[in-house]
Amino acid sequence: MDLRDVLARLKTENGLTTDQLSQISGVPKGTLNKLLNGETRNPTGSTLKKLADALNCPVELLYPRDGQAAHTLRNADDVLSIHRRAIPLLGEIAAGVPIYADEETELILCDDSLRCDFALRVRGDSMIGARIHDGDLVFIRSQDDVDDGEIAAVVLNDEATLKRVYHIKNGLQLLSENPRYAPMIFTLDECDSIRILGKAVGFQSRL
């Protein structure tokens, strides 16, 4: 199995188009097309590293040469069998002061088992008690309400924030996971300006 076969298989396993893989990896589409049609057989190490990161596989997997490569591929079934898909990264969400959740076209890969619809990048420190830190990605499943105590992406007057949601008598309470931030309490009338985007089902921290 040569490089173009490995790339094609990984691309299919991750449910990506060539355009999406180019966007996620930063490798130009023209370069990808040459790799996929076999026109380019010896890409730079930098290109292979970008592709490996985007496809969430060891970079060695993209060096299918001789018997050693075949052995690597035979032992890579677990890697290749992971079902991943691309979801949109929709701007930023504040864990602190709300930030407008501007919709962007950037795509990221996630494990399909999360059953999420989009991701948001966190800015701020108000959710550190839930191990969600500044710069983390939070994966959101679209739904218009959540159970008490669940973490949700909430839009307040066109600005998005990440908080634990509690339904209280005659209103709604949004709580941070940092004692520095006071609870946010809204009456039923004020709730007209609040919209729950969805439930947080996972997050990804930077090393």
Side-chain angles (χ1 to χ4, degrees), residues 85-105:
R85 60 191 175 89
I87 60 171
L89 175 61
L90 304 184
E92 297 180 347
I93 190 166
V97 179
I99 299 174
Y100 181 66
D102 183 27
E103 184 167 342
E104 300 176 353
T105 57

Side-chain angles (χ1 to χ4, degrees), residues 34-161:
K34 289 180 179 180
L35 289 170
L36 290 167
N37 64 27
E39 184 178 343
T40 298
R41 296 178 179 274
N42 294 298
T44 65
S46 174
T47 294
L48 291 178
K49 180 65 168 59
K50 290 177 181 178
L51 290 172
D53 289 344
L55 293 166
N56 194 39
C57 72
V59 69
E60 292 82 7
L61 195 62
L62 302 181
Y63 285 93
R65 299 186 181 92
D66 307 323
Q68 182 179 359
H71 177 74
T72 302
L73 283 172
R74 282 196 298 271
N75 290 313
D77 289 341
D78 290 340
V79 174
L80 295 176
S81 65
I82 294 174
H83 293 285
R84 296 170 68 81
R85 60 191 175 89
I87 60 171
L89 175 61
L90 304 184
E92 297 180 347
I93 190 166
V97 179
I99 299 174
Y100 181 66
D102 183 27
E103 184 167 342
E104 300 176 353
T105 57
E106 183 179 353
L107 296 172
I108 62 170
L109 288 175
C110 76
D111 189 332
D112 201 35
S113 65
L114 283 175
R115 292 175 52 227
C116 59
D117 299 295
F118 61 92
L120 293 163
R121 190 175 296 281
V122 171
R123 296 299 178 204
D125 63 356
S126 77
M127 297 303 289
I128 57 176
R131 298 182 293 116
I132 301 173
H133 296 268
D134 183 67
D136 288 353
L137 289 176
V138 177
F139 301 101
I140 306 294
R141 182 185 304 153
S142 295
Q143 54 188 71
D144 57 11
D145 201 3
V146 296
D147 293 334
D148 285 345
E150 291 184 328
I151 298 175
V154 184
V155 172
L156 309 174
N157 297 316
D158 295 327
E159 296 183 321
T161 190

Side-chain angles (χ1 to χ4, degrees), residues 24-39:
I24 294 169
S25 67
V27 176
K29 183 180 177 181
T31 300
L32 276 177
N33 283 329
K34 289 180 179 180
L35 289 170
L36 290 167
N37 64 27
E39 184 178 343

